[in-house]
Amino acid sequence: LIQLAELSKQTGDFQQAKMLINKALLPYCKVFNTLYRFETCRLPFSFDSNKLFFISLFKHIQLLGRRGCTRTALEICKVLLSLDSSDPLYILGCIDYYCLRSKQNHFLLNLFYNSQFSIQDFGIFLPNFYYSIALAKKTIEQDKSSSSS
């Protein structure tokens, strides 16, 4: 289903791709308990049985971003990072975009300065974060100045 969804996406049939990804995620939705806490549980990507789940969620993030559901895409990015903090699908490469688009500037700053991922140590490899941090700070300052006047 994931391969067919990717083929549909590449041919421009995004509705079909969305349907196929949703079908791929349906068994996982049925299995999860409503009391499941993503913050406390880990699901390593290194197990073959977990790879399809991660890839399905990543494709879902891409389709959500295309439809303009950037806040939902951001929340799923957070889920993927909490499930496996080694970031096997390079979520850090796109989470800053979804933070900026969904106006979650404070979360982006917190992720950059106070996270377990030590983004500042890998700054040379993540130049997008430095640009996004500058944009987030500028937006926060503009919001403060417009609300005070």
Side-chain angles (χ1 to χ4, degrees):
L1 288 174
I2 295 170
Q3 293 295 332
L4 286 173
E6 186 64 27
L7 180 65
S8 296
K9 190 171 84 171
Q10 289 178 358
T11 58
D13 191 2
F14 295 102
Q15 199 66 18
Q16 178 76 13
K18 174 189 154 197
M19 184 192 68
L20 290 168
I21 290 296
N22 285 340
K23 282 185 179 181
L25 287 172
L26 184 65
Y28 300 109
C29 293
K30 299 246 183 223
V31 170
F32 280 116
N33 190 346
T34 56
L35 300 176
Y36 185 77
R37 306 274 306 169
F38 284 106
E39 301 87 24
T40 58
C41 298
R42 298 289 177 253
L43 197 64
F45 183 78
S46 58
F47 296 131
D48 289 336
S49 57
N50 297 339
K51 287 182 182 180
L52 286 177
F53 178 62
F54 276 79
I55 292 170
S56 298
L57 278 179
F58 186 71
K59 300 287 183 189
H60 189 56
I61 288 169
Q62 292 174 332
L63 290 172
L64 284 170
R66 180 162 177 74
R67 283 189 311 213
C69 304
T70 53
R71 179 64 190 260
T72 306
L74 173 64
E75 295 302 325
I76 296 175
C77 285
K78 291 178 189 179
V79 167
L80 279 178
L81 281 177
S82 70
L83 289 176
D84 191 352
S85 60
S86 68
D87 194 19
L89 296 176
Y90 192 57
I91 297 297
L92 290 175
C94 63
I95 196 169
D96 61 323
Y97 169 76
Y98 294 120
C99 285
L100 291 174
R101 293 287 296 176
S102 60
K103 298 182 178 25
Q104 298 298 313
N105 299 316
H106 292 288
F107 174 77
L108 181 62
L109 292 174
N110 190 30
L111 179 69
F112 184 73
Y113 291 115
N114 304 324
S115 75
Q116 65 182 359
F117 302 107
S118 64
I119 295 168
Q120 292 174 331
D121 296 338
F122 299 108
I124 190 115
F125 302 114
L126 298 171
N128 58 319
F129 257 95
Y130 287 107
Y131 185 70
S132 298
I133 291 301
L135 281 175
K137 286 181 179 180
K138 181 181 178 196
T139 305
I140 290 171
E141 288 176 10
Q142 285 178 344
D143 290 344
K144 283 181 184 178
S145 66
S146 66
S147 65
S148 65
S149 55

